[in-house]
Amino acid sequence: MIDRADIAFEVNGAAISVNVPPLRRLSSVLRDELRLTGTKVGCDAGDCGACTVLVDGDPVCACLMSAASASGTAVTTVEGLANGRLSALQASFLAHGAAQCGICTPALLVAATALLEKKPNPTETEVQDALGGILCRCTGYRKIIAAVMDASLQAASLDFRLPQSGQAIGSSPIRLDGVPKVTGGEKFGGDSFPADALAVLVVRSPHYHASFAFGDLDSWAKHHPGVAGVFTAADIPGKNCFGVIGPFADQPALATGFARLRGEAVALVAGEREAILDLDLSDFPVRWTELPHVLQPCDAQASGAKLIHDNRPANLLTSGFVERGDPEAALAGAAVTVSGAIDTSYVEHAYIEPEAGYAYMEGDTLVVVACTQAPYMDRDDTAKVLGLAVDKVRIVPTATGGGFGSKLDVSLQPLIGLVALKTGRPAALAYTRNESMISTTKRHPAEMKATIGADADGHVTGMIFAGDFNTGAYASWGPTVANRVPVHASGPYATPNYRAEGRAIHTHGPISGAFRGFGVPQATIMQETLYDELAGKLGMDRLDFRLRNCLRNGSETVTGQRLDSGVGIAECLESLQSHWARATADVDAFNSANTEKKRGVGIASCWYGCGNTSLPNPSTIRVGVVASGDIILHQGAVDIGQGSNTVITQICADALGLPLEKFRLKSADTAITPDAGKTSASRQTFVTGKAAEKAGHALREKILRFANVSEKAFLQLDGSAIVIREGEATRRIDLTTLDVDADGFVFRAEETYDPPTLPLDAKGQGKPYAVYGYGAQIAELEVDLKLGTVKLIKITAAHDVGKAINPLLVEGQIEGGIAQGIGMALMEEYIPGRTENLHDYLIPTIGDVPPIETILIEVPDPEGPFGAKGLGEHVLIPTAPAILNAIRHATGVLVTKVPATPTRILAAIREKEARL
Amino acid sequence: MRADLHDAGSGTNSGFDNSCRLDIICIRMNLTSADGWQGLSKYPFLEGPLFGRQSVIRYAKPTTVDEALDLLGEGAWRILAGGTDFYPAQGSKPFRDNVLDINGLAELRGTVETDSHWVIGARTTWTDIVRHPLPPAFDALKQAAREVGSAQIQNVASVAGNLCNASPAADGVPGLLILDAEVELRSAAATRYLPLQDFILGNRRTALQPGEMITAIRVPKPAASGTSAFVKLGARRYLVISIAMVAARLVVDNGIVTEAAVAVGSCSAVAKRLASVEAALRGLPADHRLAAAAQAAPMGELAPIADVRGSAEYRLDAVREIVARAVLMAAGQMTGDKVAA
C-alpha cells in the first residue's frame, strides 16, 4: 500500500483536487473519485482504448496514467465535450448512427475531438490513424468514420428526425436512447456502484481440470483487515446449478471440490473497496491438485476418455439431426460432387464492456443491477441458485456495452447476489478483461465435413454434413448450436436430399455458448466454400449457380417446411448481379497487371430462422396512456446496442397511430416490465415487435371504443387530452377526468406474441421457425502473395429484412455484423491460456473494415410486424465464407482452418506451389 | 489466484508475449525497512514510505536525475515512466514494489544534437520522436514510432522503456539498431555507455545493473547518415504486435550503396542486425536489384519461434520479403505501402 497524496489537476475546465494513492490509475480517479463514469474501462492495459481522455490536449489511455502524472495537467473527458448543448461531433455521431451500445463512444468522441481541433476536415486515413487505438465491437466503424469526417457539416442543432404520427415505420429517427451515449451520461454495468458497496473478488481455477480444497478461510479472512467475508459453494443456499436451457443445466455458480475449466469460480472474497484493491490473493488458502484434461473433441471422444459430466456418455452433450430424402442415392447419381472439411476456432465476443453490476437487498428482495441480454432468465437462475422465490429477485438491467450472445448466460449475478444476501450489504463487481475472457462463453470451434452433389444442369441434388462442435465444460447454449446447425447447413438453397448432424462435445476448454449465429456462421463456411467448388466443376458463374438453387416462395426447406411467401434470397442475389459483374471485371483488370498481389471476389449467402428453434419464446409488451398525455411503453426487449429501444417503439407508435415523440420508455426491469424474452436469436424486432404491434393495436382499439368511433379515426395527443377525428367529427377526451389504474394508466393494453412453430420429429422434419431472414454478400480483396496478408477492398451486402423498420439501424447491424465476420475470417482465434487479453486476441480495428455498401431488400413476411424479419445474426453469416471464397479466387487456394491468418494463407500458397 | 492466472497467461505463451511498448525498468534487490526511512528523511518530496501489512512500499517522484540516482542506489525500485507497460504488468494486483516515478525528471525528455551525437532523453516519447526534426536516417525510427501501440500509447510511452522492457517484438529497437544506437546508463557512482545490441540480452533481459537507469539513447553522428525505412508485418492494421518487422538504412554515394544497416525484430529473442545482408548490399547500385541481393543473403542471425501471431516457417519466409521491401523503400525504390493487413 502506498500513502495517499493530494493531487490537483483540471478536469473539463474545473480545478479539482483528490486525495488518492499517487499510483492510482487516472481512469479510476475519474470514475471512482470524481464519478465521471463516461470514461470507460475495458481492459486496463491500453488494448481497447475505451478509457481515452485528453491530457493537455493529447489522447492518452487513462488506465495507463498514474494520478501523479495527471497532477497539474488539464484533463478532458467526454463529459467536457458538450458545452450546454451537444458538440457538432456528438450530434454527428447521433445523426450517423455511429453509437450502438455506446461503450466505446466516449473514447472515440474524445480522440476525434483532438483530431478535429487540428484538422477540421480530416481525410478517412487521418480519422483511422487518430482512432486506430480504440476498439469498437458493434458498429463496424464505417459510421464512426463518416461521423467524424462530416462533423464540420453538422448543423448547430441536431434534428432528431422524429417522424409524424403514422410515419415511424421506415424512418430513421435519432435513436431514442442516443443522447446519453454521446454525453457520457449512459450508465453501464460498472457505472453506478453504491459508494458503500462491498467489493467482490472471484477466486478462479488456474487449471483446466483440478480438484481443490480450502484451508482455514475464517482465519485467512481475519488476518486481512477489511475483508468482510469469504464465500464458497458451501454458502450457496439454493441449487448450485444453473444453465440457460433447464434440462441441460449443469454449471455451479461456485465449483464444489473440483473445477472443470480454467477460470471457473470457486470462492468469493468480499470486503471494503480500498482493502480489496490492496488485497493480494496469492496467500488465499486453496490447494489445487491438477487433473488430466482434454481440450479437443477428438480426445474427449476417444475410447476410455474420462467423462467430464458423469451423465453424458462419450462426453456428448447432445446432437441435432435433420434428414430428408435419400442423400446417398442423390450423391451417387449426381453429375458432380465436391467434398471438403473446414475447422474453425474459439471466437471471443470481446464486447468492450466486461461484465459488471451490483446487488443489494431491498427488504427481502434481492436486487441485481447489471448488464445483461436476458433479465428474466437472470432472475430465474439467480433465484434458483440462491434459494429465493423468483418474485424475491429483481433484475434491473443497465445499459449493456455489447453482448453478442455471451451476456445471455448469468455470470456475476449469482455471485454478487450471494454476497448481498449473506452480508446484507450492497456488493459490486466488475470483471477484469482477463476474467471476462476466461470465464464467459465463446463461439463453438467446429470441425466439419460435407459432400454436396449437383446434376448437370447445376441443380443441387444432395448434401451430407457432419459437424462436431467443441462445447467446452458446461452446456450453456451447446444444445441450441447442435440443433440449429443441421437445420441451416444447407444454406438458403433447395436441397431435396439431405442429412446433417451437429454434435456438441464436452471438453475442459472454455464454455461455448451463444454467439451471433449459434453455429450457423461456421456451417455456412463449409457449405458456401463447397458451392464455389461445385460452380467451378460445373463451369457455372458462382452467383448464377446460387441463383439457380436458392429457395423461392413455395420451396420446401430441408426440414420439410413449405415457405409460402416472404422468401427474399433470390432478390438479394439478383441485387448483387451488377456489383458482381463490376467487381469481377475490376479483379481481372488488376490481376492482369500485377503478379505479386492478386485480387479476388467472393460471394456467400445466408438464411436464418428468427426466434427459438421449435420452442416457445413469447414476448409481452405493455403500453398505456397516462393522464398527462404521455404514452408509457414497457419496452422489455433489452437494447444491447442494436436499437430495440427505438425499433420496438417505432412499431408500437404506428400500430397505435400516435407519434414517437409522445412515448416514454420503461426499462426491462423485471419488477416493472413484462418479459419480452431474451435479446437473442434475431428475435426482438420480429417477436417483441409483433407483441408491440399487437399491444399498439389493442390500445388503439380501447381508445376508439371509448370514443365510440371506427378504426378509421385519427388519434392525436393534445396536452392531457386525446383528440379523435373521424371525418368531420371530432371528439376530445380529457385524460385527467378518467379513472387511473394502479400503474397510473388511463388506457392500457398488454399483448403477448409467441411465434407459431412446430416440433422437429426424429428426422428433424417440422416447422422450426415462423420467420426466416435472408442475405448475401460480396467480398472484394487483395492478397499479398509474398506475405499471405489480405487487404479488404469492399463488402457489398444485400439483406432481406422484410421491412426495414429503421433503415439506419439496419445498416448499423449489417456493418457491425460484417466486422465480426471479418474478424472470424481473418484474425480471431481464442486459445485458452494464450490469448486471454485484447492484444494477443485480435479483433478488427478501424483500419480493418473496408467500405461497405448496403442494399436493403424488403420482401415482407406475413408473420412479422409490418412484414419485418430479424437480421441481427444474419448479417455476420455470409462474411467469412465470402472472404474465404475471394481469397481462393485471388490465390487458387482455400484455407480450411479459420481464421485465415497470414501464416495459414502463405502456407496454403506454398503448398500449392509445391504441387505444381 | 489472480496472480496465478496472470502469470499463466503470459508464462505459458510460447511466443513473444506481451507488447512492444513497455517502459518499466525493474531492479530487484533486498530492501530493509531502515533503508526506507533513510530514503524518506533525505527527500522531503517523497510521498512514502508506508509500512503496509505485507511489506514496505515506497513511492518517490524526484525532480532531478541526481536525486533519482541516489534513490536507486538505496534499494530495489520499479521505475515508472510512461506507464504503458507498468500498468498492464500490474493488472489488478496490489502494489508490492517500491516505485520510482521518473516523470518529474524534465531533463530526461527531448532530443538534442551535440557535436558527436543525437541524444534522445530516456523519457522522450514516441510522439516526441515523430514531431522532432531529425535527419532522414531517423525515418525508420519515426515510422516505427507511429506503430508503437496506438496514438494514446505513443503520447506517453518512452523510448527507453521500450528498450528496458526488452520484448522481442519491441517496435522501437530495429530502428535504433540501424542507427548504431547506444544507451547511456547512469548510477550514483558511474555513467557508462553500451551499444544497444549489448544492452538487450534476451527476452525480457537487459544489462541494466542494480542502481542504474537509462538516462539517454545516443546515436553517433556518422550513423545518422543516409536514408531509412521501417516495415511492420502484423495481423491487423492498428494496435498490433508485430509478426515481424524490419528497419533498413542505406547510404548511397553516386548511385552505389556505400553503407547498409538492416535490423529485424520479432524473429529472434532480441532484434538482430543482419550482417550478411548488409554485406551483400554494400557496393551494389541502389536500384531494384537490391531486393534480390537482400533476399539471397543468409539471415543466420534469425531464430524465430512459433506463437499465436505466426509460425516460425512463416516468419522466416515473410521476413525475407519485408527485408527486401524495407531496403527498396530506404533506397527510394518503393513507396511505403502499409504491410499490415
Side-chain angles (χ1 to χ4, degrees):
Chain A
M1 186 180 284
I2 294 171
D3 223 356
R4 290 172 171 257
D6 289 324
I7 291 170
F9 54 106
E10 202 178 274
V11 177
N12 299 328
I16 60 99
S17 177
V18 289
N19 183 255
V20 294
L23 294 178
R24 188 64 47 90
R25 296 169 192 254
L26 175 59
S27 51
S28 168
V29 173
L30 292 169
R31 291 175 54 80
D32 302 328
E33 308 297 325
L34 303 175
R35 306 297 278 186
L36 292 171
T37 54
T39 300
K40 305 304 179 188
V41 171
C43 69
D44 264 345
D47 297 329
C48 76
C51 63
T52 301
V53 299
L54 304 183
V55 173
D56 291 334
D58 286 327
V60 304
C61 289
C63 75
L64 302 180
M65 180 170 275
S66 67
S69 285
S71 175
T73 67
V75 175
T76 305
T77 71
V78 67
E79 290 92 345
L81 301 183
N83 190 8
R85 64 165 193 230
L86 296 181
S87 72
L89 178 66
Q90 288 170 311
S92 185
F93 260 58
L94 290 178
H96 284 83
Q100 286 190 22
C101 82
I103 193 81
C104 67
T105 307
L108 290 163
L109 288 167
V110 162
T113 297
L115 170 69
L116 293 171
E117 283 285 313
K118 295 184 184 113
K119 307 238 176 186
N121 294 290
T123 65
E124 180 173 335
T125 302
E126 286 167 344
V127 173
Q128 290 171 317
D129 285 349
L131 305 183
I134 301 168
L135 299 178
C136 167
R137 192 56 155 169
C138 291
T139 66
Y141 300 104
R142 301 307 306 185
K143 295 196 182 302
I144 292 166
I145 294 170
V148 178
M149 291 178 71
D150 293 349
S152 66
L153 306 174
Q154 180 64 39
S157 67
L158 175 63
D159 172 7
F160 282 84
R161 303 189 299 225
L162 287 172
Q164 303 269 303
S165 185
Q167 306 289 311
I169 303 286
S171 70
S172 296
I174 299 301
R175 54 185 305 149
L176 303 182
D177 54 6
V179 171
K181 292 178 191 286
V182 299
T183 60
E186 187 80 291
K187 297 299 180 194
F188 294 87
D191 292 340
S192 51
F193 289 173
D196 62 340
L198 291 171
V200 179
L201 287 180
V202 187
V203 179
R204 296 181 181 279
S205 171
H207 304 295
Y208 296 106
H209 187 206
S211 63
F212 62 89
F214 295 115
D216 187 342
L217 296 172
D218 288 342
S219 160
W220 182 84
K222 282 199 192 81
H223 281 88
H224 290 79
V227 168
V230 176
F231 306 96
T232 69
D235 298 298
I236 289 180
K239 188 164 189 210
N240 188 11
C241 176
F242 69 85
V244 286
I245 303 172
F248 291 96
D250 58 2
Q251 189 170 354
L254 292 169
T256 308
F258 69 100
R260 292 186 175 93
L261 82 147
R262 178 180 158 76
E264 181 156 20
V266 301
L268 306 173
V269 179
E272 306 304 330
R273 183 169 153 268
E274 287 294 329
I276 291 292
L277 280 175
D278 196 49
L279 186 65
D280 186 351
L281 282 181
S282 59
D283 65 348
F284 186 82
V286 57
R287 192 177 65 251
W288 295 99
T289 307
E290 214 176 333
L291 299 169
H293 64 264
V294 290
L295 293 176
Q296 301 300 328
C298 56
D299 296 330
Q301 296 253 296
S303 67
K306 287 273 283 179
L307 294 186
I308 293 163
H309 296 271
D310 288 340
N311 60 342
R312 293 183 184 145
N315 288 316
L316 179 68
L317 168 62
T318 188
S319 61
F321 184 76
V322 171
E323 186 179 82
R324 182 167 178 78
D326 185 343
E328 274 80 10
L331 292 174
V336 291
T337 61
V338 293
S339 295
I342 294 279
D343 292 350
T344 72
S345 304
Y346 275 118
V347 182
E348 156 67 23
H349 300 73
Y351 28 74
I352 305 305
E353 180 206 29
E355 292 72 7
Y358 66 95
Y360 63 97
M361 298 303 297
E362 195 170 70
D364 61 351
T365 299
L366 173 70
V367 184
V368 177
V369 184
C371 55
T372 183
Q373 292 180 244
Y376 275 86
M377 289 169 61
D378 289 352
R379 182 195 67 169
D380 294 354
D381 259 348
T382 303
K384 178 183 169 194
V385 169
L386 298 180
L388 298 169
V390 292
D391 63 353
K392 295 301 178 195
V393 176
R394 174 182 179 186
I395 302 290
V396 182
T398 61
T400 295
F404 317 117
S406 191
K407 289 177 183 169
L408 289 167
D409 300 54
V410 297
S411 53
L412 45 65
Q413 292 84 351
L415 307 182
I416 54 178
L418 178 65
V419 174
L421 195 63
K422 290 286 177 183
T423 64
R425 289 185 56 185
L429 172 57
Y431 278 4
T432 63
R433 173 57 56 183
N434 173 264
E435 196 169 28
S436 174
M437 291 181 82
I438 63 175
S439 69
T440 66
T441 62
K442 305 281 169 283
R443 180 185 295 289
H444 284 72
E447 295 171 9
M448 301 169 290
K449 289 191 179 78
T451 300
I452 309 178
D455 65 20
D457 293 335
H459 288 108
V460 168
T461 53
M463 174 175 181
I464 294 177
F465 171 98
D468 282 352
F469 292 79
N470 181 349
T471 209
Y474 293 104
S476 184
W477 297 92
T480 308
V481 168
N483 282 308
R484 259 198 189 261
V485 163
V487 170
H488 288 88
S490 63
Y493 304 106
T495 312
N497 300 285
Y498 177 82
R499 182 185 308 115
E501 187 180 19
R503 304 195 308 159
I505 296 163
H506 281 301
T507 66
H508 293 104
I511 304 161
S512 296
F515 191 162
R516 217 170 183 175
F518 284 109
V520 179
Q522 295 95 306
T524 305
I525 294 175
M526 183 74 263
Q527 171 263 315
E528 285 288 345
T529 53
L530 285 180
Y531 262 47
D532 262 27
E533 229 174 301
L534 265 181
K537 278 197 172 180
L538 289 160
M540 285 182 70
D541 174 81
R542 294 177 284 160
L543 174 52
D544 290 344
F545 175 66
R546 287 172 169 83
L547 257 176
R548 182 159 303 181
N549 286 287
C550 69
L551 296 168
R552 312 260 174 177
N553 287 340
S555 294
E556 286 195 357
T557 70
V558 291
T559 69
Q561 179 177 358
R562 188 182 150 85
L563 302 170
D564 289 318
S565 64
V567 182
I569 182 60
E571 285 83 347
C572 291
L573 290 165
E574 282 160 4
S575 75
L576 290 175
Q577 282 176 311
S578 59
H579 299 272
W580 181 250
R582 193 268 312 148
T584 306
D586 285 357
V587 164
D588 291 345
F590 181 90
N591 288 348
S592 64
N594 287 276
T595 52
E596 299 204 343
K597 292 180 180 171
K598 290 289 183 186
R599 291 192 176 176
V601 56
I603 188 166
S605 305
C606 73
W607 72 320
Y608 195 77
C610 307
N612 285 357
T613 310
S614 292
L615 287 172
N617 60 148
S619 281
T620 300
I621 283 286
R622 179 188 302 157
V623 61
V625 180
V626 293
S628 63
D630 284 334
I631 305 158
I632 306 297
L633 173 63
H634 286 264
Q635 203 295 95
V638 172
D639 194 324
I640 56 173
Q642 86 282 25
S644 53
N645 279 335
T646 308
V647 165
I648 301 302
T649 313
Q650 285 178 265
I651 292 170
C652 195
D654 277 8
L656 173 58
L658 283 169
L660 213 48
E661 63 182 6
K662 292 292 182 184
F663 278 73
R664 305 288 174 264
L665 269 54
K666 296 282 186 189
S667 81
D669 179 339
T670 59
I672 62 171
T673 292
D675 187 2
K678 58 200 164 55
T679 292
S680 160
S682 303
R683 59 177 293 286
Q684 292 296 23
T685 296
F686 161 42
V687 182
T688 303
K690 184 84 170 183
E693 183 189 21
K694 289 177 68 179
H697 281 311
L699 182 60
R700 177 180 175 81
E701 191 65 25
K702 285 191 177 171
I703 296 168
L704 296 178
R705 203 180 312 136
F706 183 89
N708 199 19
V709 294
S710 86
E711 67 181 59
K712 294 200 184 75
F714 291 95
L715 305 183
Q716 192 188 338
L717 280 162
D718 180 12
S720 59
I722 296 184
V723 180
I724 300 156
R725 292 193 178 83
E726 186 173 24
E728 299 299 304
T730 298
R731 281 209 56 186
R732 186 182 178 89
I733 304 171
D734 184 352
L735 300 172
T736 60
T737 65
L738 303 180
D739 291 341
V740 176
D741 74 7
D743 294 319
F745 291 121
V746 292
F747 292 106
R748 69 184 287 161
E750 185 167 316
E751 290 291 328
T752 296
Y753 174 73
D754 193 16
T757 62
L758 294 171
L760 297 176
D761 66 16
K763 289 196 165 183
Q765 299 297 295
K767 183 188 176 190
Y769 309 104
V771 169
Y772 295 83
Y774 306 88
Q777 297 175 6
I778 293 174
E780 296 166 66
L781 53 76
E782 184 176 304
V783 181
D784 187 323
L785 299 180
K786 298 293 177 79
L787 299 175
T789 50
V790 172
K791 185 172 115 190
L792 295 170
I793 295 167
K794 185 184 178 187
I795 306 279
T796 309
H799 283 272
D800 168 26
V801 299
K803 173 68 191 176
I805 305 293
N806 182 318
L808 186 67
L809 289 172
V810 170
E811 278 181 25
Q813 283 298 290
I814 291 172
E815 293 176 7
I818 286 171
Q820 292 185 354
I822 289 169
M824 182 181 172
L826 297 177
M827 65 186 78
E828 298 193 33
E829 182 169 13
Y830 182 86
I831 305 171
R834 296 175 70 180
T835 63
E836 296 162 345
N837 56 61
L838 290 177
H839 60 260
D840 290 316
Y841 185 82
L842 301 182
I843 65 171
T845 69
I846 199 168
D848 299 302
V849 181
I852 294 168
E853 182 171 346
T854 293
I855 301 166
L856 296 185
I857 305 293
E858 296 181 317
V859 177
D861 191 289
E863 188 68 26
F866 296 90
K869 306 163 180 174
L871 88 149
E873 291 161 284
H874 309 66
V875 294
L876 175 149
I877 297 169
T879 311
I883 287 172
L884 290 183
N885 282 338
I887 292 172
R888 175 157 58 184
H889 187 221
T891 63
V893 297
L894 176 68
V895 178
T896 56
K897 164 106 192 198
V898 295
T901 58
T903 289
R904 292 189 181 122
I905 293 173
L906 195 63
I909 291 171
R910 294 283 183 254
E911 194 186 320
K912 177 189 153 206
E913 288 167 352
R915 284 199 307 269
L916 292 178
Chain B
M1 240 33 55
R2 287 182 298 167
D4 283 348
L5 290 172
H6 281 286
D7 290 342
S10 56
T12 57
N13 185 343
S14 62
F16 299 143
D17 65 293
N18 220 327
S19 75
C20 42
R21 49 175 169 77
L22 307 177
D23 57 1
I24 49 170
I25 304 161
C26 198
I27 311 160
R28 293 195 182 276
M29 286 175 62
N30 289 325
L31 174 77
T32 66
S33 54
D35 289 331
W37 282 116
Q38 282 167 3
L40 179 68
S41 62
K42 280 163 69 181
Y43 298 102
F45 52 79
L46 292 180
E47 332 266 12
L50 253 207
F51 292 90
R53 287 184 309 279
Q54 283 99 345
S55 57
V56 180
I57 302 163
R58 300 172 68 190
Y59 168 80
K61 188 173 180 180
T63 53
T64 70
V65 172
D66 287 340
E67 290 167 354
L69 296 176
D70 283 348
L71 283 165
L72 279 175
E74 291 173 4
W77 297 85
R78 269 177 87 193
I79 294 183
L80 168 64
T84 59
D85 195 61
F86 179 94
Y87 283 102
Q90 192 66 34
S92 52
K93 296 191 295 285
F95 289 102
R96 291 290 183 266
D97 298 311
N98 301 312
V99 175
L100 185 69
D101 182 346
I102 63 167
N103 286 297
L105 307 179
E107 58 197 292
L108 292 190
R109 186 162 176 183
T111 301
V112 295
E113 184 180 6
T114 68
D115 288 345
S116 59
H117 289 87
W118 289 92
V119 181
I120 301 168
R123 286 188 53 234
T124 305
T125 68
W126 291 106
T127 299
D128 293 340
I129 294 285
V130 171
R131 289 177 182 166
H132 195 87
L134 290 164
F138 284 81
D139 284 357
L141 187 65
K142 289 191 172 210
Q143 289 157 12
R146 301 177 66 111
E147 299 293 340
V148 177
S150 61
Q152 301 98 303
I153 304 284
Q154 293 150 26
N155 283 337
V156 293
S158 67
V159 177
N162 201 240
L163 308 183
C164 289
N165 182 62
S167 163
D171 282 321
V173 174
L176 288 168
L177 283 176
I178 61 165
L179 292 168
D180 295 339
E182 58 188 23
V183 295
E184 178 184 274
L185 298 165
R186 285 181 62 185
S187 66
T191 299
R192 62 182 181 131
Y193 300 94
L194 269 186
L196 179 55
Q197 59 266 37
D198 296 335
F199 173 72
I200 305 177
L201 302 176
N203 185 5
R204 313 283 171 182
R205 285 195 303 122
T206 71
L208 203 65
Q209 293 295 310
E212 272 186 340
M213 64 184 282
I214 293 190
T215 45
I217 296 97
R218 309 199 311 171
V219 173
K221 282 280 181 69
S225 56
T227 52
S228 70
F230 177 77
V231 175
K232 170 167 176 157
L233 176 59
R236 70 178 179 190
R237 174 59 193 89
Y238 293 104
L239 198 62
V240 66
I241 297 174
S242 298
I243 303 171
M245 67 190 120
V246 178
R249 181 174 63 87
L250 299 178
V251 179
V252 177
D253 193 10
N254 280 326
I256 301 297
V257 175
T258 57
E259 209 181 302
V262 178
V264 170
S266 282
C267 287
S268 42
V270 180
K272 295 284 190 187
R273 288 275 292 263
L274 301 183
S276 301
V277 172
E278 294 174 359
L281 296 174
R282 276 182 215 113
L284 292 183
D287 60 24
H288 66 277
R289 285 170 289 183
L290 291 175
Q295 296 236 30
M299 299 184 186
E301 296 89 346
L302 304 182
I305 58 161
D307 64 9
V308 297
R309 284 170 269 288
S311 69
E313 298 75 21
Y314 174 75
R315 284 192 159 97
L316 279 179
D317 199 345
V319 79
R320 274 184 193 279
E321 181 63 26
I322 61 172
V323 163
R325 291 184 192 181
V327 167
L328 289 181
M329 284 164 60
Q333 295 290 314
M334 188 176 176
T335 53
D337 187 21
K338 291 283 183 193
V339 172

